[in-house]
Amino acid sequence: MSTLLLNLDFGEPPPKKAFEGNAKHRKFVRKRRLLERRGFLNKKNQPPSKASKLHSEPPKKGETSSIDGTWKVSPLPKKKTVASSSGPEQALDKKAAVPWLTPAPAQKPGSAVAKVDLLGEFQSALPKMRSHPTRPHKKGPQKNPTQKNAPQSSTQSHSDNKCSGASQKMPRKMVAIDCEMVGTGPKGHVSSLARCSIVNYHGDVLYDEYILPPCHIVDYRTRWSGIRKQHMVNATPFKTARSQILKILAGKIVVGHAIHNDFKALQYFHPKSLTRDTSHIPPLNRKADCPENATMSLKTLTKKLLNRDIQVGRSGHSSVEDAQATMELYKLVEAEWEQHLAQSPPED
């Protein structure tokens, strides 16, 4: 049996090096040493990309882990690499391994070092994420705006078609006009406007005014016009009335009987494409069993087609009554005549 010799020194331990400086400096040194032991100062001084690269790979032979979680490689003797058939495969495996996707070395949950390591891995992963082209989330839905707008445009066109079909069924902006004239000029042979009435599609009165001609009235033509001297006392001047009437007629389809006489009295020309003269509509004459090319009076057409008597007596005509009768006559052949005008529109 060999004897064991123990050389034990039970003397006092060597005295620790005393701190130098004042109390504040000693406190600072203690804190610094504490941080160095825990690895915070080493982690701060090390770049994040290097730290993440060291953490991203598992420990290999000859590697030892330090306190701050990084892996230190012990120096190994260099060996010459020999080319082999498995060389390209190993290179592909190394390229395929994404360092920021591989798990970091195990750390104690909740430790400060683990939190710092996760931050370093995240920062090191950012440059690699930028290498892949990505688009912001807000601009994603706007990649192909035509694809999403296509159903909307189709629905809009469908609704427009519905609206256009409904507008064709509904009456358009249409008015009927009738004017009463008095005689001015030499022997009263010049017809001047003395009253004008305008009604809408449903026969409601839009305008009805007595109008004072610019010239002296020679013949009131009361038997036909219904105008008397007292009607001119508070009558509207011709220029004012004309501007009011033209505002109503602008852009509308104007219906009248022998309407060229009314426009002449107004000193106005309305587009032919927007003019409907019931004295020159062949389908209306056919309904009344009259020659198609004949010019029938408003009184005759109203009696035959509407079974109504107008312009009766010696008190004169009513321009409101005549305008309403004209609109009702046109409604009888509106669909047929508008279709005919659409196929062969009149030239202005």
Side-chain angles (χ1 to χ4, degrees), residues 32 191 226:
R32 180 165 181 170
S191 296

Side-chain angles (χ1 to χ4, degrees), residues 66-315:
S66 64
I67 298 174
D68 58 352
T70 59
W71 299 95
K72 294 182 181 179
V73 183
S74 60
L76 294 175
K78 294 184 180 179
K79 295 181 181 180
K80 294 183 180 180
T81 56
V82 181
S84 62
S85 60
S86 62
E89 296 178 359
Q90 293 177 357
L92 289 174
D93 293 340
K94 289 182 180 179
K95 288 183 179 179
V98 183
W100 64 280
L101 289 177
T102 56
Q107 297 287 345
K108 293 182 180 179
S111 64
V113 179
K115 294 179 181 178
V116 176
D117 292 343
L118 289 175
L119 180 60
E121 288 177 6
F122 178 73
Q123 290 177 352
S124 64
L126 286 178
K128 300 194 176 185
M129 290 173 64
R130 292 193 191 108
S131 63
H132 300 283
T134 56
R135 294 187 180 181
H137 180 67
K138 292 184 180 179
K139 295 184 181 179
Q142 299 178 359
K143 286 182 180 178
N144 295 324
T146 54
Q147 292 181 358
K148 291 190 177 181
N149 292 338
Q152 294 179 0
S153 59
S154 62
T155 53
Q156 287 178 358
S157 61
H158 185 62
S159 61
D160 292 342
N161 293 336
K162 285 185 178 180
C163 294
S164 62
S167 63
Q168 290 178 358
K169 294 180 182 179
M170 294 293 292
R172 289 173 290 177
K173 293 181 179 179
M174 188 178 294
V175 295
I177 189 173
D178 188 76
C179 298
E180 302 297 340
M181 275 73 77
V182 294
T184 59
K187 298 182 181 182
H189 291 168
V190 179
S191 296
S192 298
L193 184 64
R195 185 182 179 184
C196 180
S197 300
I198 302 175
V199 299
N200 62 9
Y201 186 83
H202 304 288
D204 302 324
V205 178
L206 300 178
Y207 185 89
D208 183 26
E209 294 288 338
Y210 289 101
I211 300 168
L212 181 64
C215 302
H216 177 69
I217 298 175
V218 178
D219 186 3
Y220 283 94
R221 305 177 185 177
T222 304
R223 182 178 177 183
W224 296 275
S225 65
I227 305 297
R228 291 175 173 79
K229 189 175 182 178
Q230 60 266 25
H231 293 149
M232 296 292 104
V233 176
N234 296 320
T236 305
F238 174 77
K239 288 185 178 181
T240 304
R242 182 177 180 274
S243 63
Q244 294 172 351
I245 294 167
L246 297 189
K247 285 181 181 179
I248 298 174
L249 302 183
K252 295 182 178 66
I253 296 176
V254 183
V255 182
H257 194 82
I259 198 171
H260 61 279
N261 294 324
D262 300 328
F263 289 155
K264 185 179 180 180
L266 281 168
Q267 301 177 8
Y268 171 66
F269 176 80
H270 199 69
K272 288 184 179 180
S273 58
L274 298 177
T275 303
R276 307 290 186 266
D277 192 345
T278 53
S279 65
H280 296 291
I281 298 180
L284 198 59
N285 288 359
R286 285 200 301 268
K287 282 182 175 292
D289 294 330
C290 298
E292 290 186 0
N293 297 326
T295 302
M296 306 301 298
S297 65
L298 180 63
K299 182 177 182 178
T300 303
L301 292 174
T302 304
K303 180 63 177 177
K304 288 187 174 183
L305 297 176
L306 303 178
N307 195 22
R308 187 195 308 166
D309 293 324
I310 59 171
Q311 302 175 357
V312 180
R314 295 188 177 184
S315 59

